[in-house]
């Protein structure tokens, strides 16, 4: 549950702040704005697979704990084949279909750039990962009924809070456009940092309103570790 709980906000936050992240880490030397846009587009697609990878990790561990290793192995092999196949198909559509190319370039805001077909590799990986995770989910629910109910509740709360977080973060970026000098590394970094912090605070507040058990567990753990809250143990005589 905690894997899915954390992967959703991380995914949306990376998608919203992709340009700031790429520009802060790689934005120097001959790495120009066009390179930033292409790399940010690939990052946005790749990061979608974070949720799928989290779900796959959850169910694969469940299968291995139950001693059933054959089924996840076969599904992961199918997923590897799908990565190659979907990457090839998307690259093919980039070369023959202007509609597909225009749609992807418009969606990722990379219109007018050369070499946009490179995102087909990221697209193939992420789509194959989502299909792989979906197959594992369906088969795991068939073999071990009941887990999906818990996962769905966690996913709904985390996804809802993450969407609101993404909305707030996106608009914060717009508000900070005129506050910092975005031609400097420090300005881009501070813009992304402040927008991200405001988004995370929003995410926490929404989860508190939803009374998220996972958020409560995280708070209890941090309170015990950071503030070193004492744990009181009952008298042994009463236990015996």
């Amino acid at each position: 549950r905690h894997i899915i709980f954390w992967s959703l906000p991380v995914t949306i936050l990376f998608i919203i702040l992709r340009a700031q992240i790429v520009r802060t880490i790689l934005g120097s030397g001959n790495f120009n704005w066009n390179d930033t846009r292409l790399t940010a587009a690939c990052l946005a697609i790749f990061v979608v697979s974070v949720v799928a990878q989290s779900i796959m990790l959850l169910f694969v561990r469940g299968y291995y704990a139950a001693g059933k290793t054959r089924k996840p192995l076969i599904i992961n092999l199918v997923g590897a084949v799908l990565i190659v196949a979907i990457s090839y198909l998307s690259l093919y559509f980039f070369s023959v279909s202007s509609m597909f190319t225009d749609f992807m370039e418009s969606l990722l805001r990379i219109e007018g750039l050369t070499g946009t077909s490179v995102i087909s590799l990221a697209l193939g990986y992420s789509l194959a990962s989502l299909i792989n995770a979906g197959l594992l989910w369906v088969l795991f629910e068939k073999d071990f009924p009941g887990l999906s109910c818990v996962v769905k509740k966690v996913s709904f709360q985390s996804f809802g809070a993450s969407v609101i977080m993404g909305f707030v973060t996106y608009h914060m970026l717009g508000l900070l456009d005129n506050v910092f000098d975005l031609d400097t590394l420090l300005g881009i970094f501070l813009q992304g940092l402040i927008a991200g912090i405001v988004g995370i605070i929003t995410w926490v507040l929404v989860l508190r309103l939803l009374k998220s058990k996972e958020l409560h567990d995280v708070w209890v753990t941090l309170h015990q570790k950071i503030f070193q809250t004492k744990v009181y143990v009952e008298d042994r005589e009463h236990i015996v």
Side-chain angles (χ1 to χ4, degrees):
R1 296 182 307 170
H2 291 283
I3 294 175
I4 299 175
F5 176 76
W6 288 107
S7 63
L8 288 169
V10 169
T11 298
I12 292 182
L13 201 62
F14 265 71
I15 291 175
I16 300 298
L17 300 177
R18 62 188 185 277
Q20 285 72 25
I21 293 172
V22 172
R23 198 62 180 163
T24 299
I25 298 175
L26 301 174
S28 61
N30 295 324
F31 199 87
N32 55 36
W33 179 240
N34 290 340
D35 297 331
T36 298
R37 293 170 64 187
L38 278 177
T39 306
C42 290
L43 175 63
I45 299 176
F46 267 126
V47 80
V48 173
S49 67
V50 170
V51 179
Q53 294 291 333
S54 301
I55 294 174
M56 289 164 56
L57 180 62
L58 174 65
F59 292 129
V60 167
R61 284 183 174 180
Y63 270 118
Y64 274 78
K68 298 181 179 181
T69 59
R70 181 178 179 181
K71 191 171 292 186
L73 175 62
I74 294 174
I75 295 175
N76 287 334
L77 288 175
V78 172
V81 175
L82 284 175
I83 291 175
V84 178
I86 297 176
S87 298
Y88 177 82
L89 286 175
S90 61
L91 185 61
Y92 172 77
F93 281 122
F94 259 100
S95 61
V96 300
S97 176
S98 59
M99 182 180 297
F100 178 77
T101 302
D102 293 340
F103 171 75
M104 293 302 300
E105 289 180 352
S106 176
L107 179 66
L108 297 169
R109 298 183 178 182
I110 51 175
E111 303 96 327
L113 299 182
T114 58
T116 55
S117 59
V118 70
I119 67 173
S120 61
L121 300 176
L123 187 63
Y125 182 83
S126 292
L127 287 178
S129 297
L130 290 172
I131 295 173
N132 195 348
L135 289 174
L136 277 172
W137 191 324
V138 171
L139 293 175
F140 195 89
E141 177 63 21
K142 183 179 178 181
D143 294 334
F144 308 97
L147 181 63
S148 292
C149 295
V150 179
V151 174
K152 285 179 181 178
K153 182 179 179 180
V154 174
S155 300
F156 172 77
Q157 291 182 341
S158 184
F159 179 75
S162 299
V163 169
I164 298 175
M165 176 194 70
F167 177 81
V168 173
T169 304
Y170 178 79
H171 284 279
M172 276 300 301
L173 289 175
L175 291 175
L176 296 172
D177 275 345
N178 299 322
V179 176
F180 300 108
D181 183 7
L182 301 184
D183 292 328
T184 64
L185 175 63
L186 180 61
I188 294 174
F189 173 76
L190 290 176
Q191 182 198 29
L193 178 64
I194 295 175
I197 291 174
V198 173
I200 293 172
I201 293 173
T202 303
W203 178 72
V204 172
L205 291 176
V206 173
L207 286 175
R208 281 184 63 85
L209 291 175
L210 294 174
K211 298 180 180 180
S212 170
K213 182 180 182 301
E214 283 67 28
L215 183 65
H216 179 264
D217 292 342
V218 172
W219 169 251
V220 170
T221 302
L222 290 176
H223 196 265
Q224 292 177 348
K225 297 294 184 180
I226 297 177
F227 300 105
Q228 297 181 350
T229 304
K230 294 182 180 180
V231 179
Y232 294 96
V233 181
E234 295 184 10
D235 192 352
R236 286 181 174 234
E237 294 181 0
H238 295 289
I239 297 176
V240 177

